């Protein structure tokens, strides 16, 4: 008589074995990234809006940078270790001829960290309006675009605007 191992057991075993390998693909910073509580007290470097709802970065953006990131944002060059930028995304509201920001959609975070070798030395993370981490693939969801469009600026798209 043949014995069949239940397929549910096999799936659970495969998942249990895969989790440590998936976690090891991330740098320590990617596993522990947290939204800085005081980032709105940092320097506001610019605002912009992408009004097209079909665009992957739709929304009203407010960009913030810590002190370590400011020199490179202002003058260019490589960002130093510990540079952090946060972009808050808000819904776009058009009412009575005015375009303003609506409810918060998310915060995107990038931090310069040498251990993040697979993502050009940057840790990428995203947080919901409640501040809780969102599940992302830092390579597919962030770095691939930064590598294609901002390699010459240390993978950073935006510049400081007075």
């Amino acid at each position: 008589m043949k014995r069949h191992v239940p397929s549910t057991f096999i799936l659970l075993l495969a998942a249990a074995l895969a989790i440590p390998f998936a976690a090891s693909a991330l740098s320590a910073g990617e596993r522990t990234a947290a939204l800085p509580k005081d980032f709105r007290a940092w320097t506001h470097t610019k605002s912009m809006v992408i009004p097209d709802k079909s665009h992957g970065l739709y929304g009203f953006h407010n960009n913030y940078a810590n002190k370590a990131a400011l020199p490179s944002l202002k003058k260019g060059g490589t960002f130093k270790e510990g540079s952090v930028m946060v972009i808050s995304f808000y819904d776009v509201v058009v009412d009575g001829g005015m375009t303003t920001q609506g409810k918060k959609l998310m915060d995107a975070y990038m931090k310069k960290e040498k251990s993040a070798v697979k993502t050009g030395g940057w840790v990428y993370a995203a947080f919901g309006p409640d501040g809780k981490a969102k599940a992302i693939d830092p390579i597919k969801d962030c770095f691939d675009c930064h590598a294609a469009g901002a390699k010459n600026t240390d993978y950073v798209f935006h510049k400081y605007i007075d």
Side-chain angles (χ1 to χ4, degrees), residues 6 16 36 40 59 64 74 100 105 109 136 156:
R40 284 199 177 80
Y64 301 90
K74 289 180 177 182
T100 60
L105 302 173
Y109 162 102
I136 64 164
V156 175

Side-chain angles (χ1 to χ4, degrees), residues 39-157:
F39 76 87
R40 284 199 177 80
W42 297 354
T43 300
H44 176 258
T45 57
K46 81 173 195 178
S47 293
M48 63 179 270
V49 64
I50 298 176
D52 180 358
K53 286 189 178 189
S54 68
H55 192 283
L57 296 175
Y58 160 80
F60 194 100
H61 304 192
N62 287 318
N63 299 23
Y64 301 90
N66 71 357
K67 288 181 183 180
L70 283 176
S72 294
L73 275 176
K74 289 180 177 182
K75 297 178 184 169
T78 302
F79 287 79
K80 69 180 186 177
E81 183 87 0
S83 295
V84 181
M85 288 164 276
V86 176
I87 302 173
S88 293
F89 292 76
Y90 296 86
D91 198 12
V92 178
V93 176
V94 179
D95 185 26
M98 289 182 25
T99 302
T100 60
Q101 67 186 42
K103 68 178 178 145
K104 188 174 199 177
L105 302 173
M106 68 175 242
D107 290 304
Y109 162 102
M110 59 188 292
K111 179 180 182 182
K112 187 71 170 186
E113 190 172 289
K114 63 185 168 197
S115 67
V117 294
K118 293 181 180 180
T119 52
W122 289 97
V123 170
Y124 296 95
F127 303 89
D130 59 1
K132 292 182 181 174
K134 295 177 73 161
I136 64 164
D137 176 335
I139 295 172
K140 182 179 150 218
D141 297 334
C142 305
F143 183 67
D144 284 350
C145 188
H146 283 254
K151 187 174 183 177
N152 293 333
T153 54
D154 199 13
Y155 307 105
V156 175
F157 282 103

